[in-house]
Amino acid sequence: SLRFDSVTQPNIEADDTMGIIQTADDVDSIIVTVDKDLLQIPGKMYNPVKKTFHETTPEQGWHLFLTQWLTGDSVDGYPGIKGVGPKKAEKILEEADDPVRAIVDLYEEKGYDWEFCKTQAQFAMMLTAERWDPDRQEPLLWEPPTYES
């Protein structure tokens, strides 16, 4: 019979636990999942339903995060910016010299407050080893920079 080690983390989702493990310095791993959100995490991933293997670069992972910050994710329960889907998000990111600023500015232009903008980013961003405090067993939440208008 096959036996595998397993890891759990209190108070966070399994996908975030996989992101933390995948990005730890001393771990060689492959994430096995059908969850597209984990394509944010640099490294190897296998989708057992599609039978596809993918290796995500840090740049590709960051791009997916920015896209999800714009579009939201109804499955995960956060809306992003109303009316911004994947095609519109891609256009925004392609045209922006500073994509983070463009996203922050767009949230403001659409009438969303800073807390909503920041919270959408935090919902969209998967946890990694650098964004996890192992001593306190809690996430280190990323915040977009604030800009003077």
Side-chain angles (χ1 to χ4, degrees):
S1 81
L2 294 174
R3 294 180 58 98
F4 298 96
D5 291 334
S6 64
V7 176
T8 60
Q9 290 286 356
N11 305 318
I12 61 171
E13 294 183 21
D15 56 359
D16 285 313
T17 301
M18 288 187 278
I20 293 166
I21 292 169
Q22 178 90 343
T23 56
D25 288 336
D26 61 345
V27 175
D28 183 23
S29 61
I30 298 173
I31 292 175
V32 179
T33 185
V34 298
D35 188 341
K36 68 175 176 35
D37 298 342
L38 280 152
L39 288 170
Q40 278 188 34
I41 303 299
K44 299 171 188 169
M45 187 173 117
Y46 178 72
N47 182 321
V49 171
K50 295 181 178 179
K51 297 188 181 349
T52 56
F53 178 82
H54 182 80
E55 188 153 0
T56 300
T57 66
E59 296 78 20
Q60 290 168 328
W62 181 249
H63 186 84
L64 178 59
F65 157 69
L66 295 174
T67 301
Q68 290 183 295
W69 183 15
L70 283 161
T71 63
D73 187 327
S74 60
V75 172
D76 288 332
Y78 64 96
I81 298 174
K82 185 176 179 163
V84 176
K87 287 182 183 176
K88 195 171 209 173
E90 191 59 40
K91 184 175 185 206
I92 291 164
L93 295 175
E94 281 177 9
E95 294 176 354
D97 292 329
D98 179 347
V100 171
R101 180 163 192 165
I103 293 169
V104 169
D105 288 349
L106 186 59
Y107 269 94
E108 185 178 338
E109 287 169 26
K110 296 290 186 176
Y112 298 102
D113 67 18
W114 173 247
E115 277 303 309
F116 184 82
C117 172
K118 179 177 76 170
T119 301
Q120 296 306 292
Q122 292 169 343
F123 282 141
M125 184 174 279
M126 300 295 305
L127 290 179
T128 61
E130 71 179 4
R131 287 190 290 279
W132 178 250
D133 183 332
D135 297 326
R136 294 171 53 190
Q137 294 288 295
E138 63 185 33
L140 303 169
L141 297 176
W142 181 79
E143 289 194 21
T146 56
Y147 299 96
E148 295 296 321
S149 295

